[in-house]
Amino acid sequence: MSQRPDLRQRRAVLEHEWSRWVPRLSIPGARPGGTATLRHEVTESWARSLGSVDPGRDSAPVTDGGQVHQRWASSPLYRPVSALAGELHSIAEDAGFVTAVTDDSGTILWTCGGPTMRRRAERVNFAPGGRWDEQAMGTNALSLALRTGRPSSVFSAEHLVSALHGWVCYCAPVHDRDGRVLGVLDLSTTWDRSHPLAMSTVRTLVSSIEARLTTQEPGTEHLRLSCLGAERAVRDGRQLRLRPRQLEILLLLSLEPGGFSAERLRAALYGDRPVTSSTFKAEISHLRRALGGAISPRHYALTDPVSCDAADVLRALEQGDTDTALRRYGGPLLPRSEAPGIEEWRTRLEVAVRDAVLASTRPEHALHYGERAPYDAEVHQHALRLLGTGDTRRAIARGRLATALRG
């Protein structure tokens, strides 16, 4: 049986659905009487999408539990986008948009925008970790750009999912020098804020990103942070002489590739302490010079790749690799730091590693972790439960448990 009648029928259904929204939204191009003609690429996308996406769903599905900061840090788009972070933030905040960057699968890795628009976007999981490929979220500008390799916009009820009918999205794919699509850059806002220059702005920004991709030097100096039970930054085998506060800033920026506003970074470093703006800016300036300028202005983010032992542990835990996480967990994060942001990350890491140990069915994990946690009775009891009655290592676990209970 020919598919043509079926496609015609589906197109008629889609155009009927589209026409219900046109009069309410005053969409340009509507035919008299409130009917409209769907663009061919939108119609075909709807037809493909209906097999996997419920138009009534309320938000995008989540990838990796939304924990994609390490994927972003290792993305080829990380450096060029970070270099433009200040400009992207300005455009998004001044024009009332949310800016997003995806990888080639359609997973959002980074966003920025004003607090009001970001909250609206988060309601539909237009946020890091959200999946916006066609199979996950149907017809939208990101999925069309990924599929076609061309700039795309989707307005209001052109979106398959009705929860997106209040939005308009403009995006363009980012290509490497060989023409491969690495991801897309998207500007999204509510349909009533649509702007005729939005698409040209996206194209210009993507051109800037692609230009930076082609000029990236493959021999960029490699910076390595050791912050678990240690306080050291090494670049190409040479230790950088950083003050404790500068190391704290560098660590925070490496753990949050999306970067910080000035107010948020200042709070993460000083909390409620009365520290002058000039003191804060001086620390940033000194670190920027030490790194050869690799911190973006206004919105603070690293523009050069940095590897970090704490990030390695987080990535291993996200992948369920408790062996690697324990091997690389050398102790508390920057143990002498009292910065609120560092203390929060320190607690988060400690809890995550401990939880992974208690969830493991391998006694080696509890025994290994128990070396660093002599007073954690629950961990030693867990080791005893997992060790067989004839296992000589039970004596180690029993001794540790006795010490913990006495303490």
Side-chain angles (χ1 to χ4, degrees), residues 171-348:
C171 70
V174 182
H175 299 85
D176 65 12
R177 65 177 64 192
D178 298 322
R180 182 171 62 96
V181 173
L182 301 176
V184 300
L185 174 71
D186 177 280
L187 288 179
S188 292
T189 188
T190 53
W191 68 267
D192 55 320
R193 289 174 175 262
S194 62
H195 197 284
L197 296 180
M199 182 56 81
S200 63
T201 300
V202 169
R203 290 174 181 265
T204 300
L205 290 168
V206 165
S207 295
S208 296
I209 293 171
E210 290 177 340
R212 283 171 168 78
L213 277 169
T214 60
T215 57
Q216 282 183 170
E217 297 181 5
T220 300
E221 290 184 303
H222 179 71
L223 180 61
R224 174 71 183 175
L225 281 178
S226 298
C227 298
L228 292 173
E231 301 178 356
R232 185 170 62 255
V234 176
R235 183 162 57 186
D236 284 353
R238 292 171 297 157
Q239 184 167 345
L240 296 179
R241 294 184 177 179
L242 300 178
R243 293 199 292 264
R245 187 67 72 193
Q246 295 162 12
L247 191 61
E248 290 170 347
I249 295 170
L250 183 55
L251 175 59
L252 288 169
L253 295 179
S254 70
L255 289 174
E256 299 199 34
F260 290 78
S261 65
E263 291 138 4
R264 183 165 167 257
L265 181 55
R266 186 171 171 175
L269 291 170
Y270 304 107
D272 296 329
R273 290 173 53 199
V275 176
T276 65
S277 177
S278 59
T279 298
F280 168 65
K281 290 180 179 179
E283 295 286 9
I284 299 291
S285 296
H286 291 154
L287 179 60
R288 184 182 284 118
R289 283 197 295 272
L291 299 179
I295 299 178
S296 62
R298 185 174 176 182
H299 185 84
Y300 300 119
L302 293 172
T303 59
D304 281 348
V306 176
S307 60
C308 174
D309 53 358
D312 293 341
V313 170
L314 287 169
R315 182 167 52 249
L317 292 173
E318 289 169 3
Q319 296 170 351
D321 186 355
T322 305
D323 275 336
T324 299
L326 285 174
R327 187 168 62 252
R328 297 186 179 178
Y329 185 68
L333 185 70
L334 287 188
R336 295 187 297 174
S337 173
E338 296 180 356
I342 300 297
E343 289 180 336
E344 181 181 339
W345 273 107
R346 183 188 301 143
T347 300
R348 191 184 308 182

